[in-house]
Amino acid sequence: MFIDKYISGAEPVRGKILLVDDQVVNIKILHQLLQDDYDIYMARDGNQAIEMCKKVNPDLVLLDIEMPILNGFDVCAHLKNDPDTQEVAVIFVSGHFDEDKEVRGFQLGAVDFIHKPINPVITKARIKNQIRLKLNTDLLRTIALIDGLTGVANRRQFEQVLPVSWSQCAREKQPLTIILLDIDFFKHFNDTYGHTEGDVCLRLVAQKINDTVNRPYDLVARFGGEEFICILPNTDLIGGTYVAQQIVDSIVSLKIPHINSSISAFVTISAGVSSVVPEYDMSSTTLIEEADKQLYIAKDRGRNRVLGSQIQATLNE
Ligand SMILES: [Mg+2]
């Protein structure tokens, strides 16, 4: 979840366009027109179009209206009803101007209309505008969920993901573990080395945690100032404690000098772990509170260590 690819100097993101038309000649014309600027995918009928959308997640679909079996309207309705594909921009391509059809298309969620035979200049301009809009929207959505300083998820993303992981684990009767982490004596670090070095330290620590916690459904987020939090679905207390210990060890191995730490010559981190097999009627706040309690004990017992506890789902009954 790092945002390097969005930082200036990185390669510009190339838009992905899916061309859908039952006539090969139409696809050929558009392909020729657009291939230099975009990654192009093609589909010959409605079902194939839906399948391709799920597979390649295009930014834009140029969708022919008049097709046998599943027409363009049906395909658009399908794409807009599926959470996996609803963000894709749809431009209808129609054989002739028909106001009623345009109205229907916009009502279904299309962003524009193009008429055949296509005018290359107008078509290119319209597509360029829509692609730019789509990529900007994607970027804003991403930035809104990323911590700008460290590049890991921010608190907002954590708050969105936790309920999802919670319900998923409740449904599957699987354990859910979280790790709350806090850099030891970070205030002393900032006082000693300054806030710029403090920021560098936060970035290095975040990156290290992110490297350690790397399964697809895990999440690492910045929880607050020098606090980070990990969500580990399908992970029990033993597994979570193991990961937390790996994080604690990896931070020491970074060897970031900290002359004003009272426990080490280097920056260290403490971790509180809590685990539960969630029930729907329990609040996930309990899990965070317990991790916080464990983190407090870890600090109290000398820092640079992991403490964890298991929450019984029957606790509140
Ligand atoms: Mg057609």
Side-chain angles (χ1 to χ4, degrees):
M1 275 311 273
F2 281 82
I3 55 171
D4 300 8
K5 64 174 174 170
Y6 298 113
I7 294 167
S8 60
E11 283 277 300
V13 180
R14 234 169 108 95
K16 287 190 278 188
I17 300 179
L18 174 65
L19 307 176
V20 187
D21 203 303
D22 57 327
Q23 306 289 324
V24 179
V25 60
N26 292 332
I27 290 188
K28 269 190 182 156
I29 293 168
L30 286 166
H31 185 264
Q32 222 154 33
L33 186 69
L34 302 168
Q35 62 178 343
D36 290 342
D37 301 317
Y38 308 101
D39 294 339
I40 306 292
Y41 304 86
M42 289 162 268
R44 291 283 306 280
D45 63 57
N47 286 315
Q48 207 182 3
I50 292 166
E51 207 175 296
M52 285 292 275
C53 269
K54 282 180 173 282
K55 206 163 97 185
V56 302
N57 190 26
D59 297 299
L60 178 70
V61 182
L62 286 179
L63 188 53
D64 180 27
I65 295 180
E66 295 87 10
M67 292 188 294
I69 312 171
L70 221 51
N71 68 30
F73 292 135
D74 299 332
V75 175
C76 183
H78 197 286
L79 294 177
K80 293 295 165 186
N81 276 325
D82 185 336
D84 289 342
T85 53
Q86 65 184 5
E87 305 295 344
V88 67
V90 174
I91 296 182
F92 279 117
V93 184
S94 179
H96 44 264
F97 178 77
D98 179 336
E99 201 173 80
D100 290 341
K101 277 193 176 169
E102 290 214 5
V103 169
R104 181 150 181 234
F106 282 118
Q107 283 170 340
L108 283 170
V111 293
D112 207 352
F113 258 81
I114 293 171
H115 301 285
K116 289 185 265 194
I118 61 148
N119 174 308
V121 180
I122 295 176
T123 302
K124 265 192 144 175
R126 289 192 162 164
I127 288 169
K128 190 178 170 188
N129 285 338
Q130 292 302 339
I131 288 278
R132 188 189 295 149
L133 209 60
K134 167 66 164 56
L135 293 179
N136 281 343
T137 310
D138 286 355
L139 176 58
L140 286 179
R141 203 176 290 131
T142 308
I143 288 174
L145 296 174
I146 294 281
D147 175 57
L149 177 67
T150 61
V152 296
N154 62 15
R155 178 90 177 234
R156 186 184 295 141
Q157 187 172 169
F158 169 78
E159 279 161 7
Q160 284 182 9
V161 170
L162 184 61
V164 177
S165 303
W166 184 276
S167 336
Q168 204 175 333
C169 286
R171 192 167 52 242
E172 294 167 6
K173 301 199 185 324
Q174 284 287 318
L176 175 68
T177 293
I178 64 165
I179 306 172
L180 188 59
L181 298 140
D182 184 276
I183 301 176
D184 299 323
F185 302 111
F186 191 65
K187 191 185 174 306
H188 294 178
F189 185 91
N190 272 333
D191 292 346
T192 311
Y193 300 99
H195 282 90
T196 308
E197 282 305 309
D199 286 352
V200 173
C201 173
L202 285 170
R203 270 193 219 109
L204 288 170
V205 169
Q207 187 120 34
K208 204 71 191 170
I209 299 169
N210 204 56
D211 290 346
T212 311
V213 177
N214 49 20
R215 296 177 313 175
Y217 293 102
D218 295 341
L219 184 84
V220 176
R222 187 161 173 219
F223 197 59
E226 69 270 24
E227 280 193 325
F228 296 91
I229 195 158
C230 311
I231 303 177
L232 308 173
N234 297 37
T235 304
D236 61 12
L237 181 64
I238 294 171
T241 305
Y242 176 77
V243 174
Q245 188 61 54
Q246 276 189 312
I247 294 171
V248 166
D249 295 343
S250 74
I251 300 304
V252 174
S253 76
L254 280 172
K255 292 194 166 29
I256 305 168
H258 191 344
I259 50 168
N260 276 327
S261 162
S262 11
I263 54 157
S264 165
F266 303 112
V267 167
T268 57
I269 203 164
S270 299
V273 184
S274 65
S275 185
V276 71
V277 179
E279 298 279 344
Y280 287 109
D281 57 356
M282 263 177 86
S283 160
S284 56
T285 316
T286 324
L287 194 61
I288 302 170
E289 283 169 358
E290 188 55 37
D292 197 35
K293 210 182 287 175
Q294 296 301 314
L295 176 61
Y296 181 83
I297 302 172
K299 293 272 183 192
D300 197 46
R301 293 199 185 157
R303 296 175 170 85
N304 190 27
R305 71 194 60 214
V306 179
L307 257 284
S309 95
Q310 179 73 40
I311 300 175
Q312 296 306 323
T314 50
L315 203 68
N316 293 344
E317 285 171 11

